[in-house]
């Protein structure tokens, strides 16, 4: 059996316009490198002609191509997981289909791993000097928050564009959690990581699948998935308000005893009810997030369902 040097795992959701161009770019990037490589495409329940295009690439087999077709859209994280399971290279690389991440960089990554035994992962972080101030402020704040809140440490702007050794791929597969937050998973499994900067290119075609709501949910997943500090914060908030309420009670009783007048407290009562009510909802929400995740995980559902897997015959291929 021939063992591949490198597997490119490519999640595709409505990328019909890009997959063929991606494959050309990959082939020309590795031309003359002396590596044999395979491409593992994961069709993440695309509604456009992505699967049709992928089937074409699979039939042509200009380079060894596998196609994993999921039964619906499971999200990029699940798609990556499905791809990792099929990847059989000594090195595995995660790369987007839209050509924002150039395959030539993968070649550089593999070279770094080849030359430096001490590194297991080469990760690209996005050079964001050209990005808007507001967006980069939010991103920085998010990373600061998550690093303070969680038990892992994330490098800001590190993407999931990375290449790693087989052993790392095995560890990633072992992380069978249902809510997958890949930045956190990478940080959690550890291994020594070498970071290289890269500048994301424009999307070759199609549109990005991210919007503000998705990003917000992704951020919450990151914090809840890797930290129980929000629960501790809820406990503290409860404790602080209980102490404050007790002090206020002493104050009110003393005031009544000393001055003898009732305190007109309508505004105070309304404010306190709203404030405490809000805080209770917040804390219940925080607890709910954890309970919900426990519930999801306890159902032990698969992370993805593959409807069809097209592979190639390794022996006849070479
Ligand atoms: N993707 C996916 N499933 C999804 C959303 C995205 O497999 O539900 C893939 C998509 O096809 C692309 C990669 O994930 O190859 C990155 O997505 P996108 O380009 O939309 O993200 P951005 O580059 O804007 O961060
Ligand atoms: Mg993209």
């Amino acid at each position: 059996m021939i063992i591949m040097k490198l597997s490119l795992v490519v999640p595709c959701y409505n990328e019909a316009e890009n997959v063929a161009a991606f494959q050309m770019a990959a082939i020309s990037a590795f031309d003359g490198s002396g590596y044999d490589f395979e491409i593992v495409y994961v069709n993440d329940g695309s509604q456009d002609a992505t699967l049709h295009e992928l089937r074409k690439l699979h039939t042509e087999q200009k380079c060894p191509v596998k196609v994993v077709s999921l039964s619906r859209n499971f999200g990029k994280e699940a798609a990556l997981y499905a791809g990792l399971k099929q990847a059989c290279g000594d090195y595995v690389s995660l790369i987007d289909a839209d050509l924002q991440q150039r395959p030539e960089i993968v070649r550089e990554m593999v070279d770094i791993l080849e030359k430096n035994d001490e590194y297991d992962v080469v990760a690209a972080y996005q050079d964001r000097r050209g990005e808007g101030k507001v967006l980069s402020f939010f991103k920085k704040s998010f990373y600061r928050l998550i690093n303070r809140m969680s038990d892992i440490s994330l490098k800001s702007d590190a993407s999931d564009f990375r290449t790693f050794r087989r052993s790392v791929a095995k560890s990633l597969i072992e992380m069978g959690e249902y809510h997958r937050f890949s930045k956190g998973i990478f940080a959690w499994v550890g291994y020594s990581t070498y970071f290289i900067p890269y500048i994301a290119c424009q999307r070759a075609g199609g549109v990005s699948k991210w919007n503000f709501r998705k990003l917000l949910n992704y951020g919450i997943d990151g914090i809840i998935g890797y930290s129980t500090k929000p629960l501790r914060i809820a406990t503290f908030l409860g404790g602080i308000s209980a102490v404050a309420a007790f002090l206020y009670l002493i104050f009110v009783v003393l005031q009544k005893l000393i001055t003898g007048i009732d305190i007109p407290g309508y505004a105070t009562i309304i404010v306190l009810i709203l404030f405490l009510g809000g805080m209770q909802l917040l804390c219940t929400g925080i607890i709910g997030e954890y309970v919900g995740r426990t519930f999801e995980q306890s159902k032990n559902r698969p992370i993805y369902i593959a409807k069809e897997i097209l592979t190639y015959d390794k022996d006849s291929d070479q």
Side-chain angles (χ1 to χ4, degrees):
M1 193 175 76
I2 290 160
I3 295 184
M4 282 289 156
K5 184 82 177 173
L6 170 71
S7 302
L8 296 176
V9 173
V10 191
C12 310
Y13 177 50
N14 295 345
E15 303 281 5
E17 322 173 27
N18 297 329
V19 286
F22 172 84
Q23 171 138 331
M24 299 270 286
I27 291 175
S28 69
F30 294 105
D31 194 24
S33 66
Y35 313 147
D36 42 356
F37 71 99
E38 61 168 7
I39 305 185
V40 182
Y41 292 104
V42 184
N43 170 37
D44 186 14
S46 305
Q47 287 109 29
D48 67 355
T50 304
L51 183 59
H52 177 73
E53 293 293 320
L54 291 179
R55 275 186 205 282
K56 258 203 292 196
L57 296 178
H58 179 259
T59 327
E60 291 167 7
Q61 291 285 337
K62 283 190 188 142
C63 65
V65 168
K66 284 180 190 161
V67 178
V68 184
S69 199
L70 305 189
S71 60
R72 64 170 169 86
N73 179 246
F74 280 87
K76 181 178 178 185
E77 308 283 343
L80 287 177
Y81 187 77
L84 273 178
K85 285 209 158 176
Q86 297 302 321
C88 63
D90 290 340
Y91 300 109
V92 180
S93 187
L94 309 180
I95 182 168
D96 291 353
D98 54 12
L99 286 172
Q100 284 191 293
Q101 304 164 343
R102 284 177 301 115
E104 295 91 78
I105 303 178
V106 177
R107 190 164 165 178
E108 282 170 36
M109 290 170 158
V110 174
D111 284 343
I112 294 172
L113 288 177
E114 288 270 273
K115 285 187 197 125
N116 301 284
D117 272 350
E118 68 272 29
Y119 290 113
D120 302 301
V121 182
V122 180
Y125 68 91
Q126 214 161 331
D127 197 336
R128 292 197 189 267
R129 270 168 296 187
E131 202 171 75
K133 286 221 166 63
V134 181
L135 190 64
S136 65
F137 169 78
F138 275 115
K139 285 199 171 144
K140 272 214 192 94
S141 315
F142 167 70
Y143 282 108
R144 212 169 302 146
L145 182 71
I146 196 167
N147 282 338
R148 191 167 294 175
M149 294 272 255
S150 60
D151 316 324
I152 49 171
S153 143
L154 299 185
K155 183 173 168 56
S156 78
D157 292 333
S159 60
D160 45 18
F161 179 25
R162 43 183 83 208
T163 303
F164 37 81
R165 294 181 199 279
R166 174 107 230 112
S167 49
V168 181
K170 230 178 111 213
S171 305
L172 294 177
I173 292 173
E174 276 167 19
M175 301 279 285
E177 56 210 75
Y178 185 75
H179 279 275
R180 302 187 73 75
F181 175 69
S182 61
K183 288 176 204 276
I185 291 176
F186 286 124
W188 199 91
V189 296
Y191 290 101
S192 42
T193 305
Y194 185 88
F195 286 98
I196 57 170
Y198 87 106
I199 298 175
C201 313
Q202 287 290 324
R203 236 175 185 282
V207 287
S208 169
K209 279 87 200 173
W210 286 102
N211 53 34
F212 182 73
R213 185 177 55 82
K214 277 196 180 170
L215 274 178
L216 187 69
N217 282 332
Y218 189 69
I220 293 178
D221 271 349
I223 294 173
I224 303 279
Y226 285 87
S227 163
T228 47
K229 280 207 184 122
L231 288 175
R232 183 58 57 80
I233 292 172
T235 312
F236 280 136
L237 282 178
I240 291 168
S241 34
V243 170
F246 186 68
L247 293 179
Y248 190 61
L249 178 122
I250 295 175
F251 171 74
V252 171
V253 171
L254 286 181
Q255 204 173 22
K256 168 84 180 159
L257 289 178
I258 295 166
T259 63
I261 15 173
D262 282 333
I263 310 124
Y266 177 72
T268 325
I269 287 174
I270 291 292
V271 168
L272 279 181
I273 287 179
L274 289 179
F275 174 70
L276 290 179
M279 215 144 74
Q280 278 170 3
L281 282 181
L282 175 77
C283 294
T284 319
I286 292 176
I287 298 166
E289 290 284 344
Y290 288 94
V291 176
R293 276 167 175 71
T294 316
F295 172 62
E296 297 278 11
Q297 189 67 44
S298 69
K299 281 190 278 193
N300 228 340
R301 286 185 301 209
I303 296 167
Y304 67 92
I305 294 173
K307 194 163 67 175
E308 188 183 17
I309 301 178
L310 306 171
T311 53
Y312 53 85
D313 184 353
K314 278 185 199 142
D315 300 314
S316 68
D317 180 67
Q318 301 288 313

